[in-house]
Amino acid sequence: MRIQVMMGGALLALCVVSAGCDEQLSDLTGPTPSLEPTFSSIQRDIFNTTDASGRTACTQCHSDAGGRTPTGGLNLREGVAYANLVGVATRGKPGTIRVVAGDPESSYLIHKLEGRADIAGVRMPRGNGPFLTPGQMLVIKRWIELGARNN
Ligand code: HEC
């Protein structure tokens, strides 16, 4: 017990003075190592891109490219995605908002991506996964916490 406590302290000290923990920080975002809590980064690495884990690009369904109708009335194509999300009423679950700036818990997008019990329809991306990793979810929540800016 005592030895474990001491080892914990030593590891923490090592983290502070070495590059070892930087590696752990980039591990957090897993299959999208350059993901940051900005809208442009989320657009690029999450909405537009099927990542290394095999998690599908959202725009495969949520886009009007090629004259399609975006599923769920949600267009996540670059240039229009922000105006489809922040402060916009959810179609599938009346009374909720897709992204509430500053409040990830109230943002329906988060409930859909985590597959919470209160959602209408299914967890996103639609299918049997892979879904977003906990690290990717943290970054998206952080973007919302920071005010969900169009940055
Ligand atoms: C294979 C197709 C497909 C993919 C890929 C997909 N979606 Fe969806 N999405 C749907 C369909 C169909 C609906 C409507 C039915 C439902 O809500 O389950 C929907 C609904 C939603 C809604 C609710 C919209 C509303 O107003 O009711 C959100 C939010 C959402 N998707 C986010 C995402 C995100 C973010 C991604 C990427 C991580 C994603 N989806 C990937 C098919 C898809």
Side-chain angles (χ1 to χ4, degrees):
M1 181 64 178
R2 194 193 156 101
I3 289 174
Q4 277 174 356
V5 170
M6 283 169 60
M7 277 178 61
L11 272 177
L12 193 68
L14 202 71
C15 276
V16 173
V17 297
S18 79
C21 291
D22 289 344
E23 272 168 352
Q24 285 176 10
L25 278 178
S26 67
D27 282 352
L28 183 72
T29 53
T32 49
S34 59
L35 184 65
E36 294 170 14
T38 62
F39 190 70
S40 52
S41 179
I42 293 167
Q43 176 80 55
R44 187 180 59 238
D45 279 349
I46 303 291
F47 299 161
N48 294 353
T49 313
T50 293
D51 71 28
S53 78
R55 189 268 315 151
T56 334
C58 312
T59 49
Q60 282 195 10
C61 302
H62 294 284
S63 171
D64 57 357
R68 288 183 291 144
T69 304
T71 50
L74 173 64
N75 192 347
L76 293 178
R77 177 172 59 74
E78 195 141 3
V80 300
Y82 187 85
N84 271 255
L85 286 171
V86 180
V88 176
T90 301
R91 179 189 278 189
K93 193 170 184 204
T96 64
I97 302 288
R98 288 171 175 165
V99 171
V100 180
D103 189 356
E105 268 308 301
S106 302
S107 298
Y108 190 69
L109 172 72
I110 298 299
H111 294 224
K112 281 293 256 188
L113 290 174
E114 290 183 343
R116 299 215 189 152
D118 65 347
I119 59 171
V122 299
R123 184 176 185 183
M124 291 293 133
R126 191 165 194 270
N128 295 320
F131 299 107
L132 273 69
T133 65
Q136 289 173 322
M137 288 308 305
L138 275 179
V139 173
I140 295 175
K141 287 180 188 172
R142 187 74 188 130
W143 165 70
I144 296 175
E145 260 167 21
L146 292 169
R149 288 164 50 218
N150 194 358
N151 53 3

